[in-house]
Amino acid sequence: MFLIDTSRQGQVVTDAIVNQSIDNYLVNDLKLPGHGLMMYVNQPAVIVGINQTVAAEVDFQYLADHQVQLVRRTSGGGAVYHDERNLIFEHIVNGDPQDGSKFGDYTVFAQPILQALKAMGVTDLAISQKSALTVAGKKFSGMTMFKNGDGYAAGGTIMYDLNVDAAHAALLPAGDRSHRGVASNRVPITNLRQYLAPEYQNLDIQAFREALLCHVFNVKRLDQIDTYHLTQQDWAVIDQRLAEKYRTDAWNYGANPGFRQYQRLTLPTGDLHVNFTDQRGTLRRVALFGTVGTPSQLAAIADQLVGVATTPAAVTAVLTQPAVTAVLGQAAVTPLMTTLTKEA
């Protein structure tokens, strides 16, 4: 196993959208042979699974008020909150690494992390529900995987000192699961800091990362680890993939199961994200979410639009109702009508 250095020109990268796209580049484009491991830190962000509906998972007003990124990954699993006191680890495998690693086996990828944490003083570690890493019965990491040909990525979080209150505020509680897509399972979570040996309890996150990696690779210093450093050519392709897909609103906000079309509208009252499916001149599915109203208010408006003909007159008739304009504002009528009636 070797280390993959994800810094850029010697600078640590904490942009969650960038970091989340690197594994896709490594699996789909670069395809380094063998078994690599990368470990990085994100600025505050909510990461949702590829098969999740963001409106069912995320408090958009909280994200806007606290500058929290929304990022959709290309693997499954539930929604998680990241911040600068949380580590993300990812195993990147291409071809046969000849070390027993195989796609779908979470245990083999969890073991190096669990063994390192045990060496750092953590006891009562386990794997539960196939892909959750726990300490004293509480979850500190959720793992996920994705595959492309002979390459795949397998990784998860390591909660060192995550702001748990922020995580609860950013993610919606389990409730109405009428949305299509995979719903997150909210379970008790805990940080590892209190379980570590005293010498590891007061580290900044980069020092904790370094200590953990040294234990994973059984070395004294990071420069003793066989390492691949991302090059300028690597970053050029990553930047291209970001522009094409991973940094777009259509991917992070709009790629929700069951919808064909997406548009983001910036209104005087806030942001409005519009997902819909138009079949033969009728709105078959509509979802509205964002900061212009509460989830229940926007869901009620979306329900009124379902079954409406995609003509300016029919849509405008719904949007100009006093109860609707009280939520969206009069300035939303024309741009939302145009979005819902334009040809795909």
Side-chain angles (χ1 to χ4, degrees):
M1 187 166 65
F2 58 92
L3 179 64
I4 301 171
D5 173 23
T6 61
S7 64
R8 186 167 192 172
Q9 295 180 332
Q11 299 298 311
V12 173
V13 177
T14 61
D15 185 325
I17 293 178
V18 175
N19 283 332
Q20 199 62 45
S21 73
I22 292 175
D23 59 3
N24 293 281
Y25 167 71
L26 294 170
V27 170
N28 299 324
D29 296 285
L30 187 59
K31 301 180 180 179
L32 290 170
H35 184 165
L37 174 68
M38 60 182 184
M39 194 174 290
Y40 55 87
V41 178
N42 283 334
Q43 64 193 62
V46 169
I47 317 294
V48 298
I50 189 173
N51 297 314
Q52 292 197 291
T53 299
V54 295
E57 302 294 335
V58 179
D59 185 327
F60 292 98
Q61 191 62 59
Y62 182 89
L63 265 59
D65 291 344
H66 295 85
Q67 293 79 52
V68 178
Q69 291 181 294
L70 178 66
V71 187
R72 187 182 295 276
R73 60 177 175 266
T74 54
S75 58
V80 293
Y81 177 81
H82 293 173
D83 66 15
E84 298 96 332
R85 302 288 287 175
N86 178 74
L87 284 178
I88 301 91
F89 69 94
E90 292 196 67
H91 297 266
I92 308 295
V93 179
N94 282 283
D96 182 4
Q98 299 183 336
D99 63 358
S101 303
K102 64 178 181 178
F103 184 75
D105 186 349
Y106 286 94
T107 300
V108 71
F109 296 110
Q111 281 305 320
I113 302 299
L114 296 179
Q115 290 171 2
L117 291 173
K118 183 177 180 180
M120 297 170 74
V122 184
T123 60
D124 199 10
L125 292 162
I127 303 176
S128 70
Q129 297 179 339
K130 183 181 177 181
S131 60
L133 307 186
T134 65
V135 57
K138 293 185 178 181
K139 182 177 178 179
F140 69 88
S141 175
M143 296 183 66
T144 186
M145 296 188 187
F146 77 89
K147 191 175 192 297
N148 180 38
D150 291 334
Y152 57 92
T157 55
I158 302 174
M159 292 171 53
Y160 176 63
D161 193 23
L162 182 86
N163 186 335
V164 175
D165 291 338
H168 289 313
L171 299 172
L172 295 176
D176 177 13
R177 295 305 187 187
S178 61
H179 299 273
R180 291 189 182 183
V182 175
S184 296
N185 181 25
R186 307 286 186 246
V187 296
I189 58 176
T190 190
N191 283 309
L192 282 172
R193 180 179 174 183
Q194 62 184 313
Y195 299 98
L196 290 158
E199 62 265 34
Y200 301 114
Q201 290 186 359
N202 295 298
L203 302 176
D204 65 43
I205 196 64
Q206 294 299 334
F208 174 66
R209 171 185 177 274
E210 181 172 344
L212 183 62
L213 283 172
C214 285
H215 280 287
V216 167
F217 286 93
N218 194 28
V219 297
K220 297 294 185 182
R221 306 186 314 273
L222 288 186
D223 60 12
Q224 295 174 317
I225 302 172
D226 180 22
T227 303
Y228 178 84
H229 302 274
L230 291 175
T231 67
Q232 290 185 351
Q233 290 79 9
D234 293 329
W235 280 108
V237 180
I238 292 169
D239 288 341
Q240 181 181 353
R241 300 290 180 264
L242 287 165
E244 292 171 345
K245 180 176 181 178
Y246 299 117
R247 201 181 282 286
T248 66
D249 287 341
W251 169 250
N252 292 304
Y253 289 86
N256 297 300
F259 295 97
R260 296 180 181 174
Q261 291 143 288
Y262 166 79
Q263 184 67 50
R264 179 176 187 163
L265 302 176
T266 301
L267 305 170
T269 49
D271 284 337
L272 179 64
H273 301 270
V274 187
N275 259 151
F276 64 102
T277 297
D278 171 11
Q279 290 182 336
R280 293 185 292 277
T282 301
L283 292 170
R284 298 300 182 188
R285 300 197 72 224
V286 181
L288 304 176
F289 51 96
T291 60
V292 298
T294 66
S296 60
Q297 288 174 328
L298 296 178
I301 296 170
D303 288 344
Q304 293 184 63
L305 289 164
V306 173
V308 172
T310 54
T311 65
V315 173
T316 299
V318 174
L319 299 181
T320 53
Q321 295 179 77
V324 175
T325 57
V327 176
L328 302 181
Q330 187 64 41
V333 174
T334 297
L336 183 51
M337 178 274 292
T338 302
T339 294
L340 293 172
T341 60
K342 69 182 179 183
E343 295 184 3

